[in-house]
Amino acid sequence: MDFNLSKTQILFQQMIHQFAEKEVKPLAAEVDEMERFPLETVQKMGPVGIMGIPIPVAYGGAGGDTLLYTMAIEELSRACATTGVIVSAHTSLCAVPILEYGNEEQKQKYLPRLATGEWIGAFGLTEPNAGTDASAQQTTATPEGDSFILNGSKIFITNAEYAHVYIIMAMTDRSKGTKGITAFIVEKGTPGFSIGKKEKKMGIRGSATCELIFENCRIPKENQLGKTNEGFKIAMKGLDGGRIGIAAQALGIAQGALSETVKYVKERKQFGKPLSAFQNTQFQLADMETRVQAARWLVYRAASLKDQKVNFSSEAAMAKLFAAEVAMEVTTKAVQCHGGYGYTREYPVERMMRDAKITEIYEGTSEVQRMVISAKLLK
Amino acid sequence: MKIVVCIKQVPDTTEIKINPVTGTLIRDGVPSIMNPDDKGGLELALELKEKYNAHITVITMGPPQADTILREAMAMGADRAILLTDKRFAGADTLATSHALAGALRKLDFDLLITGRQAIDGDTAQVGPQIAEHLGLPQVTYLCDLSFDGKRTFTLTREIEEGYQLLEAEAPCLVTVLASARNPRYMRVRGIVEAYSREVETWGFDQIEVNEEYLGLKGSPTQVKKAFAKDMKAPGSVYEAEPEEAVGIIISKLKEKFII
């Protein structure tokens, strides 16, 4: 068992850390305040290869693995959780499912543009009445000649509005419940496909979260992703991988809040000495650091299992469950250590605490993660 | 076009401290980085690669750990990397370093040789010009920009105190580059993934063409007498005044200090 990072991983961390510090961090407060999608950052990440880390070189990607990708989401999220989720949803929920389930034509058509960041990807499963209960899907796909006709709507879709490629789940056989769902690739600008309401959120406010509307939206049959009625499987596998991304996002948020706190308690003086000289502060920091490190190894292990191509569903669920709770706990403590200043927008921990909450909710709530973990135990 | 870029691994001096007793740098725990001016030089080379389809070789002299910056250079886009390392090179000052590098460069074919202006650990700015002297190459220091006619001639812009100087030089020539002239690109993820599966050539004394007398400690005439941290200067006074009035202020201050 070797817990050391490889030379490649160290070199990668050096690059992604610099990128996050120089390109991402300076925008984080403004992106949050203005609820602005940081498109310029996406345009910078493309040429570096950050938008296609685990995509093979043959399809225009960087040829990296899940672990490098995970470290990227962690570092980006340490600086700005919005930027982290843009890359995570794009990669885990759109590019990777096309890589794993797409046919050769689909891979050739979509992956090079996604991997270079020329196009942004998104994923649509959730509906107003189908959250955790994905079987309650009401979006339908009806075959008609060489096409499918999509009708319905999706909500809370990350990267919507800015994405060019959407993987959409729709019912092809309503009688079969989750076994009657098929996945489709829908391109921006397809007639009958429009973007609806944009959500105003507590955190990750720069990420675009919108409703997708399909009104007699005709898509060619070759845009079906995977086999008929296997959409739910594709969605669940995609979410397994996505959970590693969100776990990494939570880890990055927690690390960011911890680093900010370490800096602050050394500077801030009360009763004639820095906060760091008080044992309560020291104990708080020790607990935060221990939890963050524990989360980190759960996340890296889940990523490493995915790279080994063994079943990682339960480990991904544990990583996300734990890292999300650590993010919430550590950011809350970070605000507390900052006192009144921590509650203001002058310091980034206020934003980080708001950003942390979503990691306990999206791509499967913490309760769903517990269902996944216990289902394996009780099998 | 063939380009060779000389790079150096240096301690990140923004993190460095000086031992107050011995006056030497405390290097323990200080991260090592690619010297910023050299990185600027590499970026210039990479831009030329894109423009003129140039082939880039990076070379560094240093201990085996200097391998890291060669991997970084390859991840940024360099095509070939050479690590010049040998116990006989150890203890070199700028002169001995430039002799070793020149010895290796005699074995390489290039149209353009790029070095950083100076390294942040020594700030001498000597190695680039010394290499040019050893190899009998035209040299243009403090380069900001350059273009190539596709055959043999470079048109170069160099920064001087009063402005810019426009020059022409025939290939092969040497230029020294400032970090501020270029905004170095990030390593590419694909480059990082592949960096450690690519070859870094290791060259020792036997691979290069140089007189052994010129190398290492015995080839180094420089002796460090003392190293010390500069005292902090007290902040100066700022006056906002018209030129005539300003002259009066300066004269009176100089008189006050018995300088005139």
Side-chain angles (χ1 to χ4, degrees):
Chain A
M1 193 178 294
D2 184 359
F3 285 97
N4 294 308
L5 298 184
S6 71
K7 286 177 171 175
T8 303
Q9 288 158 351
I10 292 169
L11 200 61
F12 180 78
Q13 277 192 335
Q14 182 190 329
M15 182 282 287
I16 196 75
H17 182 79
Q18 275 173 5
F19 186 91
E21 283 294 304
K22 279 194 197 154
E23 314 291 345
V24 181
K25 203 175 189 176
L27 299 181
E30 186 246 336
V31 158
D32 172 67
E33 188 69 32
M34 307 306 289
E35 303 192 329
R36 186 176 72 77
F37 187 92
L39 192 60
E40 70 269 47
T41 308
V42 174
Q43 285 160 351
K44 285 178 192 163
M45 290 192 286
V48 177
I50 300 169
M51 298 299 278
I53 295 170
I55 305 301
V57 172
Y59 296 112
D65 57 18
T66 311
L67 199 46
L68 284 190
Y69 160 67
T70 301
M71 290 171 172
I73 303 296
E74 176 191 349
E75 270 300 317
L76 295 171
S77 305
R78 189 183 53 77
C80 169
T82 284
T83 307
V85 75
I86 291 169
V87 180
S88 183
H90 163 89
T91 311
S92 290
L93 300 183
C94 185
V96 171
I98 291 176
L99 176 70
E100 290 179 354
Y101 295 97
N103 58 37
E104 194 53 37
E105 288 74 33
Q106 290 169 336
K107 290 192 223 179
Q108 295 285 359
K109 182 174 180 190
Y110 296 107
L111 290 178
R113 282 163 159 164
L114 288 168
T116 51
E118 184 189 340
W119 280 1
I120 297 172
F123 169 88
L125 172 69
T126 301
E127 296 185 4
N129 296 314
T132 296
D133 180 10
S135 64
Q137 297 275 311
Q138 286 175 354
T139 298
T140 55
T142 317
E144 195 186 288
D146 289 341
S147 317
F148 282 97
I149 310 294
L150 260 59
N151 275 294
S153 69
K154 299 286 173 185
I155 55 161
F156 302 153
I157 306 308
T158 304
N159 291 348
E161 200 182 348
Y162 291 90
H164 305 73
V165 186
Y166 300 76
I167 295 183
I168 300 299
M169 301 300 151
M171 279 285 179
T172 33
D173 189 344
R174 205 186 276 275
S175 66
K176 290 186 179 161
T178 54
K179 290 192 174 128
I181 297 172
T182 303
F184 299 94
I185 303 171
V186 182
E187 289 180 31
K188 178 185 191 170
T190 307
F193 169 36
S194 59
I195 306 291
K197 180 184 155 216
K198 185 179 176 188
E199 301 297 339
K200 296 185 84 68
K201 307 188 296 295
M202 174 196 271
I204 55 161
R205 285 161 38 112
S207 110
T209 310
C210 307
E211 180 186 16
L212 309 180
I213 300 163
F214 302 95
E215 291 167 307
N216 291 320
C217 172
R218 181 183 293 269
I219 55 163
K221 272 206 165 146
E222 59 260 30
N223 278 23
Q224 177 179 327
L225 180 67
K227 293 185 186 142
T228 306
N229 296 339
E230 275 196 9
F232 190 69
K233 191 181 106 187
I234 294 173
M236 290 304 111
K237 284 283 165 205
L239 287 171
D240 276 345
R243 277 163 196 162
I244 299 175
I246 300 308
Q249 184 199 24
L251 169 61
I253 296 170
Q255 180 63 61
L258 173 56
S259 303
E260 289 295 331
T261 306
V262 169
K263 195 168 78 186
Y264 182 79
V265 298
K266 287 192 206 164
E267 288 164 2
R268 171 75 170 165
K269 286 199 173 83
Q270 289 287 275
F271 303 104
K273 52 185 178 178
L275 296 187
S276 58
F278 293 91
Q279 198 173 44
N280 175 59
T281 311
Q282 296 161 3
F283 283 5
Q284 297 292 337
L285 289 176
D287 285 348
M288 289 157 87
E289 167 75 357
T290 306
R291 310 268 290 159
V292 170
Q293 287 290 359
R296 176 166 292 119
W297 292 111
L298 269 180
V299 176
Y300 287 5
R301 179 169 141 77
S304 153
L305 288 175
K306 183 170 192 311
D307 285 330
Q308 292 166 44
K309 302 204 184 322
V310 295
N311 193 317
F312 62 93
S313 303
S314 183
E315 282 77 7
M318 285 189 260
K320 180 177 179 289
L321 170 65
F322 189 73
E325 290 187 346
V326 167
M328 206 57 240
E329 184 187 325
V330 167
T331 53
T332 306
K333 278 180 191 275
V335 169
Q336 192 69 20
C337 289
H338 279 67
Y341 286 113
Y343 197 67
T344 71
R345 293 200 181 172
E346 268 180 62
Y347 286 88
V349 290
E350 176 270 344
R351 181 188 79 240
M352 291 166 171
M353 185 175 161
R354 285 184 287 107
D355 286 346
K357 186 61 202 175
I358 189 62
T359 64
E360 293 185 315
I361 297 171
Y362 63 7
E363 299 197 26
T365 60
S366 288
E367 291 69 30
V368 165
Q369 310 311 325
R370 291 187 169 94
M371 284 160 60
V372 171
I373 298 160
S374 59
K376 193 188 170 197
L377 273 179
L378 298 172
K379 199 157 68 177
Chain B
M1 191 197 306
K2 285 185 178 160
I3 305 174
V4 176
V5 186
C6 297
I7 61 177
K8 184 184 185 187
Q9 189 178 44
V10 293
D12 188 350
T13 50
T14 53
E15 311 253 336
I16 214 159
K17 292 185 178 73
I18 290 181
N19 182 328
V21 182
T22 60
T24 53
L25 300 179
I26 303 170
R27 293 189 185 228
D28 285 350
V30 177
S32 293
I33 58 168
M34 190 190 305
N35 179 50
D37 281 348
D38 304 350
K39 212 174 190 174
L42 177 57
E43 175 58 33
L44 172 70
L46 291 164
E47 287 167 19
L48 294 171
K49 178 178 175 174
E50 282 159 4
K51 233 186 210 165
Y52 304 105
N53 195 26
H55 178 277
I56 303 172
T57 301
V58 282
I59 183 166
T60 190
M61 187 182 103
Q65 307 86 281
D67 176 80
T68 319
I69 58 162
L70 294 170
R71 306 283 173 184
E72 183 182 350
M74 288 198 289
M76 286 171 73
D79 300 291
R80 181 185 179 192
I82 300 167
L83 173 64
L84 206 53
T85 192
D86 195 309
K87 285 199 174 113
R88 283 169 280 193
F89 303 153
D93 67 359
T94 62
L95 186 64
T97 301
S98 65
H99 272 301
L101 284 166
L105 290 161
R106 285 188 187 100
K107 296 287 188 183
L108 293 168
D109 178 31
F110 55 84
D111 303 296
L112 181 65
L113 177 55
I114 302 176
T115 71
R117 169 197 48 174
Q118 64 193 42
I120 54 171
D121 55 352
D123 276 345
T124 66
Q126 291 168 355
V127 173
Q130 285 169 353
I131 292 171
E133 286 300 312
H134 302 325
L135 299 177
L137 298 176
Q139 57 169 301
V140 176
T141 52
Y142 293 70
L143 185 88
C144 322
D145 206 2
L146 117 180
S147 62
F148 185 55
D149 72 350
K151 294 182 203 99
R152 305 262 12 117
T153 312
F154 290 101
T155 306
L156 313 110
T157 312
R158 74 185 287 257
E159 199 175 302
I160 53 174
E161 275 182 29
E162 307 83 39
Y164 297 95
Q165 215 174 29
L166 199 63
L167 302 160
E168 269 188 6
E170 291 288 303
C173 66
L174 177 142
V175 298
T176 79
V177 178
L178 271 66
S180 56
R182 284 287 175 286
N183 188 14
R185 68 196 60 196
Y186 293 97
M187 286 182 266
R188 301 307 194 228
V189 181
R190 183 182 165 186
I192 294 169
V193 172
E194 293 169 353
Y196 280 95
S197 53
R198 289 170 62 186
E199 189 197 6
V200 166
E201 297 168 44
T202 305
W203 289 13
F205 174 72
D206 298 331
Q207 279 77 38
I208 68 173
E209 198 180 310
V210 68
N211 185 336
E212 195 179 344
E213 294 297 305
Y214 295 159
L215 300 176
L217 206 53
K218 62 177 177 293
S220 299
T222 313
Q223 287 175 13
V224 178
K225 190 178 175 211
K226 189 183 170 193
F228 56 93
K230 277 199 292 189
D231 291 331
M232 292 292 281
K233 274 189 189 164
S237 312
V238 178
Y239 299 89
E240 282 191 30
E242 292 299 312
E244 277 183 33
E245 191 192 344
V247 169
I249 295 170
I250 292 168
I251 300 277
S252 69
K253 286 282 162 194
L254 291 175
K255 280 185 176 161
E256 209 176 276
K257 306 228 176 232
F258 303 105
I259 293 167
I260 54 173

